[in-house]
């Protein structure tokens, strides 16, 4: 479901030209590394929640998810600070172009990375709650969440770029 939204978003991204696509791609590659943290938390929360759900330790589940969310927010803030300080240098590892093109691509990539990084706490918390629900054998709410994500992403990708340009693409990704 979420990947389908990505296909539509990619179609809109392609309309902004190859330098924008290069910056967008550089950020997505780097962001994939950052997403590993939330995925790892998700796996841990799923296991923790399912064990405690089976043992009917509901208060312990609640405390564990809360603590995971605190840790997730803390780590995402640390990552945000590191991105503000070192983001451009890291993005340059993913960019290969002429000096003039590199400046343009880096501007797109860094602006996009900042938008994504500012919303990391939301992503990390989303992974925690979705994983906790799946650990409690609830697959319906995560599926509905995926459908809502698809609707938000597609709607934002089709509407926002007409209103706010490339920032519409950036926001479509985090929405």
């Amino acid at each position: 479901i979420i990947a389908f939204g990505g296909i539509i978003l990619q179609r809109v991204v392609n309309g902004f030209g190859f330098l924008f696509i290069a910056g967008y791609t550089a950020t997505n590659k780097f962001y994939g590394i950052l997403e590993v943290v939330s995925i790892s938390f998700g796996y841990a929360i799923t296991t923790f929640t399912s064990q405690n759900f089976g043992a009917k330790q509901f208060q312990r589940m609640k405390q564990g998810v809360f603590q995971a969310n605190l840790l997730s927010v803390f780590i995402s803030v640390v990552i945000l600070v590191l991105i503000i300080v070192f983001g451009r240098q890291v993005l340059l590892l993913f960019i290969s172009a002429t000096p003039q093109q590199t400046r343009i691509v880096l501007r797109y990539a860094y602006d996009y990375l900042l938008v994504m990084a500012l919303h990391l706490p939301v992503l990390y918390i989303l992974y925690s709650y979705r994983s906790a629900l799946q650990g409690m054998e609830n697959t319906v709410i995560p599926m509905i969440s995926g459908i809502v994500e698809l609707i938000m992403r597609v709607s934002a990708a089709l509407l926002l770029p007409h209103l706010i340009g490339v920032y519409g693409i950036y926001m479509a990704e985090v929405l």
Side-chain angles (χ1 to χ4, degrees), residues 16 160-170:
F16 282 94
L160 290 180
H162 298 292
L163 301 173
I164 57 176
V166 296
Y167 285 94
I169 296 294
Y170 305 157

Side-chain angles (χ1 to χ4, degrees), residues 60-78:
R60 184 179 158 112
M61 283 182 350
K62 185 177 176 181
Q63 289 172 337
V65 171
F66 177 76
Q67 290 171 350
N69 283 335
L70 284 178
L71 186 58
S72 293
V73 169
F74 174 75
I75 289 174
S76 63
V77 169
V78 169

Side-chain angles (χ1 to χ4, degrees), residues 4-20:
F4 180 71
I7 292 169
I8 292 174
L9 184 61
Q10 186 63 53
R11 183 183 170 279
V12 176
V13 166
N14 291 346
F16 282 94
F18 75 96
L19 293 176
F20 180 78

Side-chain angles (χ1 to χ4, degrees), residues 89-107:
Q89 292 83 359
V90 174
L91 286 169
L92 284 171
L93 298 172
F94 298 95
I95 298 171
S96 174
T98 67
Q100 183 180 3
Q101 290 174 332
T102 297
R103 279 192 302 279
I104 295 167
V105 170
L106 185 59
R107 188 185 73 232

Side-chain angles (χ1 to χ4, degrees), residues 46-85:
T46 300
T47 303
F48 178 83
T49 304
S50 63
Q51 289 172 342
N52 285 287
F53 184 72
K56 300 194 184 330
Q57 296 291 319
F58 304 117
Q59 187 60 32
R60 184 179 158 112
M61 283 182 350
K62 185 177 176 181
Q63 289 172 337
V65 171
F66 177 76
Q67 290 171 350
N69 283 335
L70 284 178
L71 186 58
S72 293
V73 169
F74 174 75
I75 289 174
S76 63
V77 169
V78 169
I79 290 171
L80 172 62
V81 170
L82 291 173
I83 284 172
I84 290 170
V85 176

